[in-house]
Amino acid sequence: MNIEHLVKSQKQKFYRDETLSIDFRRDKLQKLKELIIENESELMDAVKKDFGKSQFEVLSTEISILLAEIKTAQKNLKLWMRPKRVKNFIFNIPSRNYVSNVPRGVSLIIGAWNYPIQLLLAPAIASIAAGNTVILKPSELAINTSNLISQLIPKYFESDYMAVVEGDGSVCQELISQDLDMIFFTGSSQVGSKIMESASKFLTPVVLELGGKSPCIVDSDKNLKLTCEKIAFGKFVNAGQTCVAPDYILINEGLKNKFIDEMKKVIKNFYNNSVESSDYARIINERHFQRLKRLLDNQNILLGGEVDEASRYISPTLIDSPCLSDPIMNEEIFGPILPIITYKDVNECIELIRSKTPPLALYLFTNDNKLKESFFRKVLAGGMCINETIVHLANDHLPFGGVKNSGIGNYHGEYGMKAFSHQKAILDKPSWFNLPIRQPPYTKRNFKLLNYLIKLLYH
């Protein structure tokens, strides 16, 4: 595929104003919904081939989220597109002032391999709602899903509106070197910084959905079984290959032993023998498998640690008290390995989290409202769950995004539509009126009048 020609054709379609109407956007959202529903089985099978994810996980963590996003967009699109009136400024009276979400143009969406359907098509929903054209770049690591999506999209969309470009990093580099109007990337912070650097050539706006080490603090033994179930779900779904998975546990030292005992039971109940469980996924490729395997070196393993290179299997693993200088505590794990670290005073947790780059998510298990407030105020994170893990990203009424190394910008629901739009400020004033006081000559009388008005209105 000629990438330069593709971008040019999409720009031409956008400049013909074909993507702007609400009927056009609703129609394309419906087409995407039909694509997902009509090919649901094929999509689930493709993801299973890529890394053994169960149909239930694909349905719950990918397809259901996309269908919910589409329904929200279809229902609220008219409201989102409506210009929002805002208050006036004294010098601008009389005038109407409002903000309008206008589409940017050609958008490039670079998807991630760990949720290869959702993380590619959820941004596409936002871009469609905003009125842009769309170029999709699936991850080449989830090759079966990538191939399937590249076959399906042309059946539902014309290429000058939505197209798929497959390939490796060199193809991605060629894409981001084009004069695009928006780039949306999901992946690592290292690649994200390169995307941003390339985008700077044209000052192209970017949304970067990255990752990081999302901490999970456990400060209460109330409902400990449920706490462990929620943490185990968030950590081991997709074999830990989730950007908002709990990366490590910070637990009150008095609760540690009870927590470990209960977590072992929960993991057993979830997967029984995980190597044989159809509910437990595999690592995406050999490189990631070897990286995770190295993280286990010289660690005190409480549970798990079993690996099988042939199937890229790593069992659900609990690690006891790793050294804070170890690689496992200084890079995002992105796998089914859960370090457990104790603390005496909760302020130790805050200091540790603050010593690292802001996480994409933070999880706190407590019933102490003062402690909740303390973490709200003192810890910067992309998102936060109290007594729960990861499910905040499924609520399309909440913004999803990171801070600094964990991401730039956010999306989902209306936040996604705004991310793919430019918020244009508009002032509409009648041609028959002017305010002489604001222009020269600046007389003493006008100065006194202006000073009076400012004191009256703003002091």
Side-chain angles (χ1 to χ4, degrees):
M1 180 181 290
N2 187 313
I3 290 174
E4 186 176 353
H5 176 74
L6 173 62
V7 173
K8 184 178 180 180
S9 70
Q10 290 210 352
K11 279 185 180 289
Q12 289 172 343
K13 185 175 187 69
F14 179 74
Y15 290 146
R16 290 195 297 268
D17 297 340
E18 295 179 26
T19 68
L20 302 185
S21 73
I22 188 170
D23 289 338
F24 181 93
R25 301 185 203 191
R26 280 176 171 164
D27 175 67
K28 298 308 179 185
L29 287 169
Q30 184 63 29
K31 288 287 186 183
L32 189 57
K33 180 179 179 179
E34 291 169 4
L35 182 155
I36 295 167
I37 292 174
E38 292 170 4
N39 301 279
E40 184 178 283
S41 296
E42 291 87 345
L43 289 166
M44 289 191 291
D45 289 344
V47 178
K48 185 173 182 62
K49 289 177 183 176
D50 282 325
F51 50 107
K53 189 187 293 190
S54 71
Q55 287 191 337
F56 185 91
E57 281 194 10
V58 179
L59 188 62
S60 62
T61 64
E62 304 214 49
I63 290 173
S64 67
I65 292 174
L66 292 174
L67 294 177
E69 285 270 359
I70 292 172
K71 183 175 182 179
T72 297
Q74 289 176 319
K75 180 180 179 181
N76 295 286
L77 190 56
K78 186 176 182 179
L79 176 64
W80 295 349
M81 291 175 63
R82 184 181 302 156
K84 180 183 178 183
R85 287 289 298 269
V86 296
K87 291 183 178 180
N88 210 335
F89 177 60
I90 182 173
F91 279 167
N92 295 332
I93 295 172
S95 66
R96 293 183 302 147
N97 296 256
Y98 52 94
V99 180
S100 181
N101 293 312
V102 298
R104 295 184 181 274
V106 180
S107 63
L108 169 64
I109 298 169
I110 305 171
W113 56 262
N114 57 324
Y115 291 89
I117 307 170
Q118 185 224 129
L119 295 181
L120 185 71
L121 297 185
I125 294 165
S127 189
I128 292 170
N132 302 296
T133 62
V134 185
I135 299 173
L136 299 170
K137 166 59 178 73
S139 172
E140 68 276 15
L141 299 187
I143 189 63
N144 293 287
T145 309
S146 177
N147 290 344
L148 177 61
I149 289 175
S150 70
Q151 294 166 22
L152 293 177
I153 291 294
K155 296 179 180 179
Y156 293 81
F157 302 96
E158 55 276 15
S159 64
D160 62 351
Y161 175 70
M162 182 182 290
V164 180
V165 178
E166 290 190 282
D168 58 13
S170 63
V171 172
C172 189
Q173 183 59 50
E174 186 178 358
L175 280 166
I176 62 178
S177 66
Q178 304 298 312
D179 185 7
L180 301 162
D181 300 300
M182 172 75 186
I183 298 175
F184 188 106
F185 169 76
T186 303
S188 69
S189 57
Q190 292 85 356
V191 177
S193 65
K194 294 178 182 178
I195 298 285
M196 193 172 186
E197 183 179 359
S198 292
S200 68
K201 177 183 177 182
F202 296 104
L203 297 179
T204 302
V206 297
V207 171
L208 304 177
E209 296 297 340
L210 309 176
K213 298 186 73 64
S214 296
C216 181
I217 301 94
V218 180
D219 196 65
S220 171
D221 63 351
K222 290 185 178 179
N223 301 312
L224 189 59
K225 180 177 182 291
L226 291 180
T227 294
C228 289
E229 287 176 350
K230 292 172 183 178
I231 294 172
F233 163 71
K235 179 62 181 181
F236 300 116
V237 67
N238 206 28
Q241 298 166 113
T242 304
C243 59
V244 289
D247 194 271
Y248 59 99
I249 300 292
L250 295 169
I251 188 163
N252 186 299
E253 63 179 7
L255 304 177
K256 177 185 174 181
N257 292 335
K258 290 172 65 177
F259 175 83
I260 291 170
D261 290 344
E262 194 60 53
M263 184 62 78
K264 288 179 178 179
K265 295 176 186 176
V266 167
I267 293 171
K268 176 72 172 177
N269 289 336
F270 275 16
Y271 303 111
N272 191 11
N273 182 5
S274 58
V275 72
E276 297 178 357
S277 174
S278 60
D279 297 328
Y280 189 69
R282 297 300 185 259
I283 307 306
I284 185 65
N285 62 15
E286 180 67 16
R287 181 171 65 87
H288 282 283
F289 175 84
Q290 293 298 336
R291 178 187 62 82
L292 289 166
K293 188 178 172 184
R294 285 194 295 272
L295 292 182
L296 295 174
D297 291 345
N298 303 314
Q299 297 299 329
N300 183 11
I301 297 174
L302 297 169
L303 176 73
E306 296 90 2
V307 301
D308 178 66
E309 295 199 22
S311 62
R312 301 193 304 277
Y313 163 81
I314 297 179
S315 64
T317 301
L318 304 179
I319 301 291
D320 186 22
S321 304
C323 179
L324 296 182
S325 61
D326 287 347
I328 200 170
M329 289 305 299
N330 287 282
E331 62 182 76
E332 184 178 8
I333 294 172
F334 220 70
I337 304 169
L338 185 61
I340 300 170
I341 299 170
T342 60
Y343 66 86
K344 294 181 181 179
D345 186 282
V346 75
N347 288 315
E348 297 173 35
C349 299
I350 294 173
E351 290 177 11
L352 175 60
I353 298 167
R354 282 176 163 180
S355 71
K356 301 180 181 298
T357 58
L360 183 55
L362 183 144
Y363 306 115
L364 175 63
F365 285 82
T366 185
N367 293 308
D368 186 336
N369 288 330
K370 289 185 178 179
L371 189 59
K372 295 177 189 178
E373 180 65 25
S374 182
F375 275 88
F376 286 153
R377 291 186 294 105
K378 295 181 180 181
V379 180
L380 186 62
M384 184 174 179
C385 286
I386 309 295
N387 299 319
E388 188 54 280
T389 65
I390 80 170
V391 294
H392 62 296
L393 65 82
N395 184 351
D396 55 27
H397 298 285
L398 290 173
F400 179 75
V403 181
K404 203 172 179 180
N405 279 42
S406 60
I408 296 173
N410 49 51
Y411 73 121
H412 286 181
E414 185 177 8
Y415 301 97
M417 192 265 199
K418 287 183 175 180
F420 280 89
S421 304
H422 167 63
Q423 282 74 56
K424 181 181 283 188
I426 301 171
L427 184 148
D428 185 357
K429 196 169 190 176
S431 61
W432 52 263
F433 184 82
N434 191 27
L435 191 65
I437 187 177
R438 68 182 183 178
Q439 59 199 39
Y442 301 127
T443 64
K444 289 184 178 180
R445 178 179 177 275
N446 284 354
F447 178 82
K448 289 181 179 179
L449 178 58
L450 175 62
N451 198 30
Y452 170 76
L453 289 173
I454 289 173
K455 288 179 179 178
L456 178 67
L457 294 172
Y458 303 123
H459 280 208

